[in-house]
Amino acid sequence: MNVEQANGIDLSVILEKLGFHPVERKGFDLWYLSPFRNEETASFHVHATKNIWYDFGAARGGKVIDFVCAWLESHFEDHTVTDALRWLDNMHPVGLTEIPREKEPVAEMPALELRKVTHLQNPVFINYLDSRGIPMSLAKKYLKEAHVRNRKTGKSFYAMALENECGGIELRNNVFKGCIGTKGVTFIRGRKTLPDEVHVFEGVMDFLSALIRMNTTRFEGDTIILNSVSCLSKSLPYILNYSYTKLYSWLDNDHAGECAARALKG
């Protein structure tokens, strides 16, 4: 067995063989009590079709081989990739199944192409922001307007744009959320030179709404916009490498948001 074959094994079956069963199912999203610690609220997420996992309590995740390495490490066993493959080879005869997948095209060109970036000016965005109670004067401090073309369909569209720390461009309009380039978090400096607090948001709209609520255009402390809870681990270097004494979580009150908030608290 090689790594590619290992990552094709159904992760939910591996978990079942280890005695773990999902406590909640929402479409392709499976939530488990973490295999790595005792907990009362499920914070271990598996995407059934992508066959990947993320442990919000530990801010780590990956593919099947990453899980097996983490599992072996948690049991104080040798946990190299070779050890993980050997472990899977030993378990495979008892009924692990592979998920059929089409091979991804090699070096496929990204579907979305950034054509132009300008200041916010589209009336559609003005109306949308107005419906959210966000004045254009504030939105323009943080957002740009992107003209995007879909290479596969040949169609073009406009979206509000926010640059992230990985050099990617986060895109959003009233019907679409996506990213051009690498997805990552957005870090915004606060008014204080050496702030003792940091604010964490899932999305830019929540951030702008909070500024309106607090009657300000910028927080005293720093701000991290995750742009997706899947980017939680990318926020940790910014949080841990600064001398913050207070962290304010503005995450959504859904399962993923609650798990992310607990991970930040830990």
Side-chain angles (χ1 to χ4, degrees):
M1 181 185 299
N2 58 34
V3 172
E4 182 179 356
Q5 292 169 328
N7 287 332
I9 298 172
D10 192 331
L11 182 55
S12 65
V13 175
I14 295 177
L15 288 165
E16 184 178 351
K17 296 296 181 183
L18 293 173
F20 299 98
H21 304 275
V23 298
E24 185 177 356
R25 296 175 182 265
K26 290 185 177 179
F28 298 122
D29 296 309
L30 309 178
W31 290 93
Y32 295 79
L33 296 176
S34 176
F36 304 121
R37 63 186 171 278
N38 294 324
E39 62 181 12
E40 297 181 356
T41 303
S43 66
F44 187 90
H45 173 254
V46 172
H47 193 289
T49 57
K50 294 181 180 179
N51 208 38
I52 56 177
W53 61 280
Y54 191 83
D55 187 346
F56 282 91
R60 66 187 296 186
K63 299 181 180 181
V64 170
I65 201 72
D66 303 303
F67 170 78
V68 177
C69 288
W71 173 260
L72 292 173
E73 182 181 9
S74 70
H75 285 73
F76 305 102
E77 298 181 25
D78 293 335
H79 51 277
T80 66
V81 171
T82 301
D83 297 318
L85 291 174
R86 186 182 302 113
W87 185 89
L88 285 168
D89 269 327
N90 292 333
M91 179 179 271
H92 198 276
V94 297
L96 293 183
T97 57
E98 294 186 10
I99 298 177
R101 288 179 174 79
E102 295 182 0
K103 290 187 177 180
E104 296 182 0
V106 177
E108 181 181 4
M109 185 174 291
L112 298 182
E113 174 189 10
L114 184 64
R115 305 300 296 273
K116 185 169 63 173
V117 176
T118 64
H119 296 295
L120 276 177
Q121 56 190 353
N122 194 309
V124 173
F125 299 145
I126 297 174
N127 292 335
Y128 174 74
L129 291 165
D130 184 64
S131 71
R132 297 286 298 260
I134 300 170
M136 282 293 290
S137 58
L138 175 63
K140 285 183 175 181
K141 291 180 180 293
Y142 299 99
L143 296 173
K144 300 291 186 180
E145 183 175 307
H147 181 200
V148 182
R149 178 178 176 270
N150 189 318
R151 290 190 178 100
K152 292 184 177 180
T153 65
K155 296 182 178 180
S156 297
F157 63 93
Y158 290 89
M160 292 178 286
L162 178 71
E163 188 173 353
N164 65 41
E165 302 307 312
C166 295
I169 304 293
E170 305 289 338
L171 303 172
R172 175 177 181 146
N173 58 31
N174 59 337
V175 295
F176 172 81
K177 289 183 182 180
C179 182
I180 292 179
T182 304
K183 195 162 187 65
V185 305
T186 299
F187 183 85
I188 300 172
R189 286 286 186 191
R191 294 182 185 277
K192 291 182 179 178
T193 303
L194 294 173
D196 60 352
E197 63 185 45
V198 61
H199 301 261
V200 179
F201 294 85
E202 181 174 343
V204 66
M205 289 298 125
D206 293 335
F207 166 64
L208 294 175
S209 296
L211 291 178
I212 294 298
R213 178 180 173 184
M214 304 299 290
N215 193 29
T216 186
T217 59
R218 188 160 50 136
F219 287 114
E220 293 294 313
D222 295 335
T223 295
I224 295 175
I225 301 174
L226 298 178
N227 294 312
S228 169
V229 290
S230 65
C231 292
L232 178 66
S233 60
K234 294 183 178 181
S235 73
L236 298 182
Y238 294 92
I239 296 172
L240 299 177
N241 292 335
Y242 286 83
S243 56
Y244 300 125
T245 59
K246 291 175 285 187
L247 185 149
Y248 296 96
S249 170
W250 300 75
L251 301 176
D252 293 346
N253 291 321
D254 57 12
H255 196 119
E258 291 173 359
C259 289
R262 284 198 300 274
L264 289 169
K265 185 177 180 180

